[in-house]
Amino acid sequence: MSESNVKVAIIGGGVGGMSCAVYAKRANADVTIFEQYVMGGLTATIDWIENYPSYSKIEGWQLAENMFNHVESLGVEIKYEQVVSVTKQEDDTFVITTDHGAYTYNSVVVATGTKHNKLGIEDNYVGRGVSYCATCDGSFYRGQAVAVVGNTAIAVKEALYLDGVVGKVYVVNPTDSFTADDALVARLQNSANVEILYNKTISALSGEDKLHELTLVDNVTHQKSQLAVEALFVAVGSKPATDFLSTTGVVTSNGFLVTDDTMMTSVQGMFAVGDVSNGKLKQIVTACADGAKAGNFAVAYCKALQHKQSKAATKPAPKTKAKTKK
């Protein structure tokens, strides 16, 4: 492996992956992004973004496209293929197997993010009233009524955030309790701006151009009711997209990849950025910061390994003493 041929693979074309590509490419690496669907990831599906530095307000698809244009201008190779496995070889290289073939790289960065658990009825309203991120989209509904569905700590935190932003928050809880910390639940229950609807399931969404109403079913009486809202924040959990790493032995925490401060995982040469890692804040700007670190340190890792292997190859064989006849 020569210094001019450091090969870094990035699995996932979201903002974290693209940020990583920029830094790795500028460090003189040969960079390839593997993306199963379209570049931009979840960012491209966000209606408006108001918390990314340098843009007071920008549509998600536009920010994603700006990043994509930057990556493309640097000559980063993009393969629209699904990665099915990653295997580390004895020579410290990685073999990435996709639905199209197999490729070898010196370092791998996992930027596959998470997959939101869905209700199964909201696809037609995603970006038109349905969101999976209160901090991303809550400010668009100032003074309006919104709903949060879920009974976990994430749902409670989403509702508490919205409590200080919107006009009214309905929490649709499919059970009779929350699985969140008691202190968090108490804050939610004591808010005059929040109404908790226990034992309710959302059976339908309605609205012509965007979401305007939810159909609720009482899980005890089975009676239906209508709830007028301008937005629904789905907080029924998510899971990191890491199934393809099952054979690597990488260390996880609740399914998320554990990294050090260079974004390297427990597998030497494998890094992780953005929502798939165990970082506590899941935002566009933090994913980009993760990517910047991983891109820089992945190339540094490759060069250090190259130097080590080069020294080992040129090290003279140990001298042996000639045998003497007695």
Side-chain angles (χ1 to χ4, degrees), residues 11 34 81-87 89 94-105 108 244:
I11 306 174
F34 290 87
E81 302 177 20
Q82 179 183 0
V83 175
V84 296
S85 70
V86 177
T87 307
Q89 307 299 296
F94 292 86
V95 173
I96 293 179
T97 303
T98 74
D99 53 356
H100 284 67
Y103 311 88
T104 302
Y105 294 89
V108 173
F244 63 95

Side-chain angles (χ1 to χ4, degrees), residues 274-303:
D275 289 359
V276 77
S277 71
N278 63 327
K280 292 184 178 180
L281 186 60
K282 309 294 187 182
Q283 293 290 296
I284 294 172
V285 68
T286 55
C288 290
D290 287 351
K293 289 190 287 185
N296 178 74
F297 289 116
V299 176
Y301 161 83
C302 292
K303 291 181 178 179

Side-chain angles (χ1 to χ4, degrees), residues 37-38 65 72 85 94 97-98 106 132 143 158 165 185 187 201 207 240:
Y37 300 113
V38 295
E65 186 173 280
E72 196 174 41
S85 70
F94 292 86
T97 303
T98 74
N106 307 119
Y132 299 91
E158 293 279 271
V165 177
V185 176
R187 283 177 56 195
T201 299

